[in-house]
Amino acid sequence: MLMGGGPGVRIMRFRGVDVRLDLSVILIMALFIFPQAAQFPRSFPNWSAAEVWGAAILIGVLFVGSILVHELSHALVGMWLGAEVTGIRLYIFGGATFFSSKPVSEGRNFFISIVGPLSNLALWGVFDLASNSSLYGTVWYVTCYYLSTVNFFLAVFNALPGYPMDGGMALRSGLIHLTKNELLAARVVAVLGCLTGGLIGLWAVQAVLDRDTISVLFRAYIAYWIISGSLAQYRQVNQFRVQTPSKKQPDAPPIAPTGVKVGQVTIAPPYAFPPDATIEQFLAQTANLDDKAWLPVLREGYLNGLVTRQMARKTPKADLATRKLEQVMVLRRNLAVVNVEDDVSIAAQVALTNRGQPLAVLGAGGLFAGLVNSENLRG
């Protein structure tokens, strides 16, 4: 799950959110349809050509439908729990629900993540019940039997304790909620993710011995994807974890505590964008804003940087569609950060030496909470 939007053909709207289908889904459907269409005449010699192709196509379509249900469950629970959902995209490796923001509560983020595998478990039960209630050997029986197996696999696969699998994200959120230690949670997910990827890598070696080239490529990619994602989330948290600013800056006199928390004066920006959003997308979606308004660049709710339209507009026109926000933003490591629980006096002290930039405010688990500037602090 990422923030932002995604390309593809819009197939529906769900509570005001576009659901888009990437053309690569045609390939994954083909990988389901044609092998089944080749196998069914051998398994069910009494089937007609219409039954063979009907079952194969139905399995391919309902497989994509199962992925759609998985993503809709993320979106629906996210909306209920206060997340801002900006889009859903289905593509060759599954699907993605895009968030511009998530709840500060890691307990809520746990439920947003874990509901995906749970939805596939529910579909497994539904299709398993339907197959057991159908006459053996019929098109409907075979379709439901295959879909029950596929959804059980999807539930287990998505629940793996690596990042960016739902299981890895749920594990990280759960650990942060219980231990209040974001870095510890990231380390646990990194270790388990590497172990999981290593086991899948051994599975890829087995495919090499079996001379199954397609399985080798698929399993090796999944192993790499989980290992690299798990390590990347640890590096990100380790680099961007909350560091409360010193209460006494060397170049500024101390300011007396006020008893007011930073969270009470924090402003939530109207938009948030992922690092890989293009400058063209950013400028189009923020056309109603002042060129000097600061906006957050987030990945999974964690701050990567800040950007303004003024900064983005310096991009040559020829590069607007290809250059990313991460190439023009002010990086997180160059920003001053305070916590929602800090006294406003701390933020005011930091603001004195902050070169006119707003202060980024982080909440529970290091998630981005909003911005404060000198005007907010004086108010």
Side-chain angles (χ1 to χ4, degrees):
M1 290 180 274
L2 308 170
M3 287 71 64
V9 178
R10 191 176 78 177
I11 57 173
M12 62 180 287
R13 283 182 66 81
F14 176 74
R15 295 196 168 193
V17 174
D18 285 347
V19 179
R20 295 183 176 275
L21 185 72
D22 193 280
L23 296 180
S24 63
V25 171
I26 296 174
L27 178 58
I28 195 66
M29 289 182 65
L31 292 175
F32 266 81
I33 292 172
F34 289 103
Q36 303 305 331
Q39 174 192 332
F40 287 157
R42 296 191 295 270
S43 302
F44 306 98
N46 59 322
W47 277 13
S48 66
E51 289 175 312
V52 167
W53 284 101
I57 292 173
L58 194 56
I59 289 172
V61 171
L62 289 179
F63 168 71
V64 175
S66 297
I67 297 174
L68 176 59
V69 169
H70 177 109
E71 298 304 330
L72 289 176
S73 69
H74 283 309
L76 182 60
V77 172
M79 292 173 182
W80 282 345
L81 296 180
E84 294 290 335
V85 182
T86 59
I88 297 173
R89 180 164 62 99
L90 307 182
Y91 61 107
I92 188 170
F93 291 111
T97 301
F98 298 90
F99 297 92
S100 61
S101 66
K102 284 187 175 182
V104 171
S105 166
E106 290 292 350
R108 293 187 178 190
N109 286 324
F110 171 85
F111 287 111
I112 293 174
S113 297
I114 203 64
V115 73
L118 291 179
S119 70
N120 289 119
L121 277 180
L123 289 175
W124 165 67
V126 169
F127 283 116
D128 186 61
L129 179 62
S131 66
N132 291 332
S133 304
S134 304
L135 185 63
Y136 177 81
T138 62
V139 168
W140 184 239
Y141 168 85
V142 171
T143 299
C144 291
Y145 175 79
Y146 270 80
L147 265 297
S148 67
T149 303
V150 164
N151 273 282
F152 183 79
F153 170 80
L154 287 175
V156 172
F157 178 69
N158 281 285
L160 292 175
Y163 202 88
M165 311 306 297
D166 291 332
M169 289 192 282
L171 176 62
R172 187 175 72 172
S173 292
L175 287 174
I176 295 174
H177 180 71
L178 293 173
T179 67
K180 310 303 180 187
N181 190 327
E182 180 188 2
L183 188 59
L184 172 63
R187 283 174 177 163
V188 171
V189 171
V191 171
L192 292 179
C194 288
L195 289 175
T196 300
L199 291 175
I200 296 175
L202 292 177
W203 192 28
V205 172
Q206 179 60 49
V208 172
L209 299 177
D210 294 338
R211 298 182 180 180
D212 187 347
T213 304
I214 294 179
S215 294
V216 170
L217 296 175
F218 178 75
R219 296 172 190 177
Y221 175 78
I222 294 298
Y224 167 77
W225 186 48
I226 292 178
I227 291 174
S228 61
S230 298
L231 293 176
Q233 64 86 33
Y234 170 71
R235 288 193 295 267
Q236 178 182 343
V237 172
N238 188 44
Q239 179 182 3
F240 297 158
R241 69 182 188 272
V242 180
Q243 297 178 349
T244 303
S246 170
K247 297 186 179 183
K248 189 173 182 180
Q249 300 290 331
D251 297 326
I255 299 176
T258 65
V260 178
K261 302 292 187 183
V262 169
Q264 296 175 251
V265 297
T266 297
I267 301 297
Y271 300 103
F273 296 85
D276 58 355
T278 66
I279 303 300
E280 185 176 60
Q281 292 171 333
F282 172 76
L283 292 175
Q285 293 184 43
T286 59
N288 60 322
L289 299 182
D290 185 271
D291 275 6
K292 295 183 179 180
W294 290 91
L295 296 171
V297 180
L298 309 177
R299 189 186 299 279
E300 292 297 331
Y302 293 97
L303 181 66
N304 278 199
L306 294 178
V307 69
T308 66
R309 284 178 55 84
Q310 186 178 57
M311 295 162 58
R313 287 164 66 91
K314 295 178 182 179
T315 304
K317 289 186 178 180
D319 298 332
L320 290 177
T322 56
R323 186 165 296 180
K324 312 294 185 182
L325 286 183
E326 61 190 353
Q327 297 174 261
V328 301
M329 68 184 183
V330 178
L331 297 177
R332 160 66 180 82
R333 61 175 175 265
N334 297 324
L335 296 170
V337 172
V338 291
N339 191 278
V340 290
E341 295 298 323
D342 287 336
D343 191 272
V344 165
S345 62
I346 297 177
Q349 192 81 39
V350 176
L352 291 174
T353 57
N354 200 37
R355 305 184 305 279
Q357 295 176 354
L359 305 183
V361 182
L362 304 187
L367 290 170
F368 177 76
L371 301 171
V372 292
N373 53 35
S374 299
E375 288 74 18
N376 302 136
L377 297 173
R378 285 196 295 269

